[in-house]
Amino acid sequence: MPVYLVFFGPPGSGKGTQASRLANTLGVPQISTGDLLRDHVSRGTELGKTAKPIMESGALVPDDLVTAMLKDRLLMEDAAGGALFDGYPRTLPQAEALEGLLASTGSGISAVLFIDVPDEVITGRILKRAELEGRADDTQDAVRERLRVYREKTAPLARHYEAAGLLVTIDGNRGVDEVAEDVRRVASGRS
Ligand code: ADP
């Protein structure tokens, strides 16, 4: 049975770092919709042209576009044994779409790892990353908007997954290795 884990948390929570580490350990791909979209932007595809200004403002790319992109990625051979979702789902319609996609192959989400980090820590981390990486959406305004959108559209997913008995909360306000140890423990108990 393939293992599908969702990494969930505010921007800057470290979910991408943790998903990438666990992907190496488990030998399944990390599927980051943010990375996939940035790739479209850099290749100048139609999707990339649509997504670029939306991403730069800190808003969400429309559900149907992101879901179609995710569906294509899931069909690739390396995802046959499972995947770690990083940055998807971000809205309730995306969560429902993912459930439908996985159910169509007789599987489902094993667990949702909520990487919990307080707001004041988040803002500091993202602005520091902006200095290091120069991501186009790491400006102060875009960061503020991403946090607002996160609270409004994405954070409510915690209740959805809690009701489904899938939510596992991990204290993300610790060193990368300590968080990774908890993530590994949860993943091995749930897969
Ligand atoms: P972060 O979690 O640090 O904000 P990501 O790399 O996950 O960064 O996402 C960057 C941007 O890409 C988002 O602000 C949004 O515009 C777009 N994006 C990524 N994933 C999704 C998604 N699942 N649905 C809609 N937009 C998305």
Side-chain angles (χ1 to χ4, degrees), residues 9-13 15-16 32-38 51-63 66-67 69-70 86-91 94 126 129 135 137-138 142 145-147 149-150:
S13 58
K15 60 187 186 309
S32 157
T33 44
D35 285 350
L36 292 173
L37 287 168
R38 278 186 286 278
K52 187 171 191 275
I54 300 174
M55 292 171 77
E56 285 176 358
S57 75
L60 293 181
V61 176
D63 288 334
V66 180
T67 296
M69 177 184 77
L70 180 97
D86 162 17
Y88 187 99
R90 258 176 158 92
T91 64
Q94 290 184 16
I126 303 184
R129 181 174 75 188
R135 239 173 68 170
D137 61 350
D138 277 347
E145 179 61 7
R146 271 153 63 208
L147 279 172
V149 170
Y150 170 77

Side-chain angles (χ1 to χ4, degrees), residues 95-166:
E96 286 163 353
L98 180 60
E99 279 146 41
L101 283 175
L102 298 182
S104 71
T105 61
S107 59
I109 296 168
S110 310
V112 176
L113 285 77
F114 173 50
I115 313 293
D116 190 19
V117 179
D119 281 5
E120 57 279 13
V121 177
I122 290 296
T123 315
R125 280 193 192 177
I126 303 184
L127 293 177
K128 193 165 154 210
R129 181 174 75 188
E131 278 171 35
L132 298 172
E133 294 176 17
R135 239 173 68 170
D137 61 350
D138 277 347
T139 61
Q140 285 224 7
D141 281 353
V143 167
R144 205 173 303 121
E145 179 61 7
R146 271 153 63 208
L147 279 172
R148 195 192 64 73
V149 170
Y150 170 77
R151 280 189 211 106
E152 184 188 309
K153 304 236 168 82
T154 309
L157 289 180
R159 266 179 274 129
H160 173 78
Y161 285 126
E162 183 148 50
L166 290 173

